[in-house]
Amino acid sequence: MDESRFLEACREVLSEGTRPAGIGALGEKSLHAALKRYLEPREACREVLVGRYVADIVNEAGITEIQTAGFGRLREKLEFFLPHYPVALVYPVAAVKWLISVGPDGSQSRRRRSPKTGGAWEMLTELYSIRDLLKEPGLTLCAMLLEVEEYRLKDGRGRRGYTRWERMPVRLLEEVWARGPEEFPRLLPPDLPEAFTSKEFRACGHFSPMNGSLALSAARELGAVERIGNQGRAYLYRSVQNACF
């Protein structure tokens, strides 16, 4: 991990953008561009045509695809790439979030820290939509943990009258790489008991019931979690890294 190089990539993308600096100048698309620049400084290796698809990065390590959400949109690409190339799938996560409200006149509130914290395990929910591809050889997963500022427009719409306007990166905190089945347990929520139910899995990852179900299913497809029995009417699971307890 190189935090200074990541910040430099963000500055370069911001300076090259057509939008003015400030709110809206470094959004999801720009974050995507900054991550590409950070992971591969050579311009010739970015946005490369492979067959009928454009890959984010193609270099000596293979193909890298960066996706902020909606992994299902990558399905056709991955089905084409994986039989022929090693593929790294990179997902940015807002591990630390600062909230800033923006009024109709452009005035900004003092930023406050969101009580919600994120981690690599959030990637599991997204992986559910491509769960049938997760055991393909050559697949590497990476969660990029970021500190971000989230700007919310006070427009009377959305949740509690606010609409999320922009998320701007502040720092790169950590890179969590899982290079194959033996490392996929790195994506599990922290502090899981040696044996746990789906309810305990959701609690450790602070998942909603729906997202927790999707994440646990994806973890099982990855081989990071296995079912070992029952606890009353609930299924009991364990992490493969705790398989010999």
Side-chain angles (χ1 to χ4, degrees):
M1 189 184 87
D2 189 331
E3 184 183 348
S4 62
R5 183 159 58 88
F6 176 76
L7 292 176
E8 180 60 27
C10 290
R11 283 192 290 267
E12 289 177 3
V13 169
L14 181 59
S15 66
E16 293 175 4
T18 57
R19 290 177 290 180
I23 298 173
L26 194 58
E28 294 293 345
K29 291 182 180 180
S30 296
L31 174 57
H32 186 274
L35 285 171
K36 280 193 295 186
R37 192 179 292 256
Y38 167 71
L39 292 167
E40 177 48 77
R42 295 170 294 181
E43 185 176 357
C45 295
R46 302 193 298 265
E47 297 294 318
V48 178
L49 187 65
V50 179
R52 64 183 184 276
Y53 298 101
V54 176
D56 286 335
I57 295 170
V58 180
N59 57 22
E60 298 83 357
I63 290 175
T64 300
E65 285 291 317
I66 302 160
Q67 191 77 0
T68 58
F71 279 24
R73 295 193 293 269
L74 287 176
R75 172 173 294 281
E76 288 189 9
K77 271 188 176 184
L78 293 176
E79 288 176 340
F80 181 80
F81 292 156
L82 281 168
H84 309 291
Y85 306 93
V87 177
L89 184 53
V90 176
Y91 178 63
V93 176
V96 176
K97 186 188 301 182
W98 298 90
L99 303 177
I100 302 171
S101 301
V102 181
D105 60 354
S107 60
Q108 299 179 23
S109 69
R110 294 182 61 182
R111 74 175 192 169
R112 62 182 180 86
R113 183 165 177 165
S114 169
K116 181 180 178 182
T117 57
W121 53 93
E122 292 186 16
M123 190 177 191
L124 292 170
T125 302
E126 294 289 345
L127 289 171
Y128 178 81
S129 62
I130 56 168
R131 61 194 180 280
D132 55 315
L133 301 176
L134 298 180
K135 292 183 179 179
E136 289 288 332
L139 179 65
T140 292
L141 304 173
C142 176
M144 306 282 281
L145 308 188
L146 306 171
E147 181 179 350
V148 303
E149 291 181 335
E150 179 171 296
Y151 291 83
R152 296 182 173 184
L153 183 63
K154 189 175 183 180
D155 55 5
R157 298 178 294 179
R159 187 178 180 185
R160 299 180 181 176
Y162 290 87
T163 300
R164 190 173 76 183
W165 188 8
E166 196 76 283
R167 289 195 305 172
M168 300 177 66
V170 176
R171 281 196 300 150
L172 174 62
L173 302 175
E174 187 180 357
E175 299 175 24
V176 181
W177 288 88
R179 297 179 174 88
E182 69 282 355
E183 296 184 354
F184 287 154
R186 293 178 180 178
L187 301 178
L188 294 177
D191 303 322
L192 282 171
E194 289 186 338
F196 53 89
T197 64
S198 59
K199 183 177 180 180
E200 291 169 326
F201 180 87
R202 293 197 305 267
C204 288
H206 302 285
F207 292 113
S208 67
M210 175 61 76
N211 285 345
S213 178
L214 300 179
L216 182 55
S217 293
R220 292 185 66 196
E221 289 292 335
L222 284 169
V225 165
E226 62 183 357
R227 197 164 72 191
I228 59 172
N230 295 73
Q231 182 174 288
R233 299 177 62 183
Y235 290 125
L236 201 59
Y237 303 89
R238 67 182 172 192
S239 164
V240 294
Q241 61 192 359
N242 290 329
C244 297
F245 67 85

